[in-house]
Amino acid sequence: MAYTYDENKINRLQGAVEYSRRQLLPYREKRLHAVRQFVGANYTDTGSTERVPINLLEMAISIYRRQIAARRPAVLVRAKSKEHEPVADQFEFALNSLLKDIDFESTIQTWVLDAMFGLGILKTGLSPTGIELSGFEHDPGQPFVDNVDFDDFVFDMSAKRWDQIQFCGNRYCLPLNAIQKMKMFGSKTSEIMESAYSQTGEYGEERVQRIGTDGGASYGEQYYSPVVELWDIWLPIENVIVTMRADDRGGVDTKEPLRVVEWEGPEEGPYYTLGFGSVPGNLMPLPPAALLLDLHEMTNKVFRKVGRQAERQKTITLVQSGQEDDGRRIVEASDGDVIRTDRPEGTREAKHGGVDQASL
């Protein structure tokens, strides 16, 4: 079905995206809490607010990630006939070289890590010709596979199955100067303005990026080159990708799309998701971090209590009235010293507090 623009259609799309982003808000907030526990209190000032002496969450997720995505996948191409074997070998070499060039192993490892906390998302396509807009590993005209952060992703939350979604997409930033130089959006390029800096989502919620930054930057000073915040929305019914501006909150703007491109890739679209635990009647998976978090937090809560008990433990010397000199000599003596005491039975050592062995 061909795509035709009309204002009512864009308003409905913007409303549907707003609805789904609101439905995904609790998942984003719980993911942020889990990531803070994952990094602990010593990663940065905006990590966990309490000490995490036994990081069971990091230990489990690191083990899982190494088992699932230990190294770069290798492509094996086999020909059905002997005469095509040379072509198959060349094709196999070309594909493996491409995976190495685009650092595919790092992408897969991040994909798995994201899925541990919620939903892993990949975006595929061809890099535009001209300037390397999306990073130095994106050669013009070359296929790319990029991670999409869950904070910047949206999909149709009214659907019951993934093949029934009416839209999905992601928010991203591109350098303003590069867009203007390439005239990326034709005559509409001149209308594009620099985007405001924000570490919060549309509803004031903190993004995971907030963990690694203090949020103190003023407007524009954090960017060497000004950037523009955009949304790519894939519409399966029309089979097109619509590029739209982000509004001041970071949501989808209701202005006319900057660009509409027909999707010529696989019918599943440009986005690939990864989840580890299916939930009946829901598209959002149940991530391992959600299952491990209660045990992780309870273990650390008890361990912090045991630590406080150990800090309160003390050993003191008690003396009878009139035997203060004996007590002073005992306290000031070093290990192995010989000291005089007038009344040895008038002093004794006492311990108070200490770790509860059952809790330990």
Side-chain angles (χ1 to χ4, degrees):
M1 182 185 297
Y3 177 87
T4 54
Y5 164 75
D6 67 70
E7 187 175 351
N8 180 61
K9 181 184 293 187
I10 292 299
N11 288 334
R12 289 183 63 87
L13 176 60
Q14 193 265 352
V17 170
E18 285 278 332
Y19 167 80
S20 293
R21 287 286 293 175
R22 279 198 306 272
Q23 301 307 307
L24 289 169
L25 176 59
Y27 299 99
R28 297 196 297 270
E29 291 177 335
K30 290 186 179 297
R31 172 176 176 257
L32 174 63
H33 174 67
V35 174
R36 281 192 162 125
Q37 288 296 309
F38 177 75
V39 302
N42 298 313
Y43 174 70
T44 181
D45 292 340
T46 50
S48 172
T49 56
E50 295 183 296
R51 292 183 297 173
V52 184
I54 303 179
N55 200 326
L56 299 180
L57 195 60
E58 188 278 334
M59 180 174 64
I61 288 177
S62 296
I63 292 172
Y64 290 152
R65 182 176 57 176
R66 287 195 297 268
Q67 293 295 322
I68 297 171
R71 61 183 63 86
R72 181 172 64 250
V75 177
L76 180 65
V77 180
R78 288 291 179 260
K80 293 184 177 181
S81 62
K82 197 169 186 65
E83 61 182 303
H84 292 146
E85 286 182 357
V87 177
D89 291 340
Q90 293 175 0
F91 191 37
E92 177 181 312
F93 177 79
L95 288 175
N96 285 316
S97 297
L98 173 64
L99 294 181
K100 181 179 180 181
D101 290 344
I102 65 176
D103 194 21
F104 189 59
E105 62 270 30
S106 296
T107 302
I108 292 297
Q109 289 167 1
T110 302
W111 192 38
V112 171
L113 179 62
D114 287 343
M116 293 290 176
F117 291 96
L119 189 67
I121 308 117
L122 293 181
K123 183 180 183 181
T124 63
L126 290 175
S127 298
T129 57
I131 300 176
E132 297 177 358
L133 284 173
S134 301
F136 55 79
E137 289 183 341
H138 293 70
D139 294 334
Q142 185 183 64
F144 68 84
V145 184
D146 286 344
N147 297 106
V148 174
D149 192 87
F150 184 62
D151 283 348
D152 298 321
F153 188 62
V154 67
F155 63 87
D156 184 7
M157 285 290 285
S158 66
K160 294 183 179 179
R161 300 201 317 258
W162 188 259
D163 60 351
Q164 294 178 342
I165 62 171
Q166 296 187 10
F167 64 86
C168 71
N170 75 291
R171 176 176 51 199
Y172 60 99
C173 292
L174 289 179
L176 176 60
N177 296 337
I179 292 175
Q180 293 173 337
K181 184 175 181 179
M182 292 176 60
K183 297 189 182 302
M184 191 172 177
F185 302 113
S187 59
K188 298 175 184 175
T189 302
S190 59
E191 304 172 7
I192 298 177
M193 305 294 291
E194 177 185 357
S195 295
Y197 175 66
S198 175
Q199 289 187 332
T200 60
E202 302 95 304
Y203 310 104
E205 77 279 11
E206 290 184 323
R207 303 184 188 182
V208 168
Q209 180 191 10
R210 176 71 177 85
I211 293 177
T213 54
D214 62 6
S218 301
Y219 177 81
E221 73 175 14
Q222 75 286 350
Y223 294 122
Y224 168 65
S225 177
V227 299
V228 177
E229 201 168 34
L230 303 169
W231 280 90
D232 277 350
I233 306 293
W234 175 55
L235 305 176
I237 297 176
E238 292 94 343
N239 196 33
V240 295
I241 298 177
V242 181
T243 301
M244 306 178 69
R245 303 172 180 86
D247 60 22
D248 293 339
R249 301 178 304 120
V252 174
D253 205 329
T254 56
K255 295 179 182 178
E256 182 178 354
L258 296 170
R259 182 176 61 184
V260 178
V261 178
E262 183 178 354
W263 171 246
E264 298 179 349
E267 64 179 7
E268 295 86 0
Y271 297 97
Y272 293 84
T273 60
L274 176 65
F276 289 112
S278 298
V279 179
N282 290 269
L283 289 181
M284 274 299 297
L286 179 63
L291 301 174
L292 297 168
L293 192 57
D294 286 343
L295 176 62
H296 164 89
E297 290 185 320
M298 182 59 68
T299 300
N300 282 279
K301 184 176 182 179
V302 173
F303 202 88
R304 286 193 295 267
K305 182 176 182 178
V306 169
R308 291 193 297 270
Q309 291 174 348
E311 291 172 353
R312 290 197 303 269
Q313 180 180 351
K314 57 185 177 182
T315 301
I316 58 178
T317 301
L318 305 178
V319 297
Q320 289 183 349
S321 177
Q323 305 302 316
E324 289 83 359
D325 289 342
D326 280 357
R328 178 180 52 78
R329 286 191 290 267
I330 291 172
V331 171
E332 294 176 352
S334 299
D335 183 40
D337 283 357
V338 178
I339 62 172
R340 177 180 65 82
T341 174
D342 298 324
R343 195 164 181 270
E345 66 275 12
T347 61
R348 66 182 179 88
E349 188 176 78
K351 296 180 183 288
H352 291 272
V355 174
D356 179 75
Q357 293 303 309
S359 296
L360 182 60

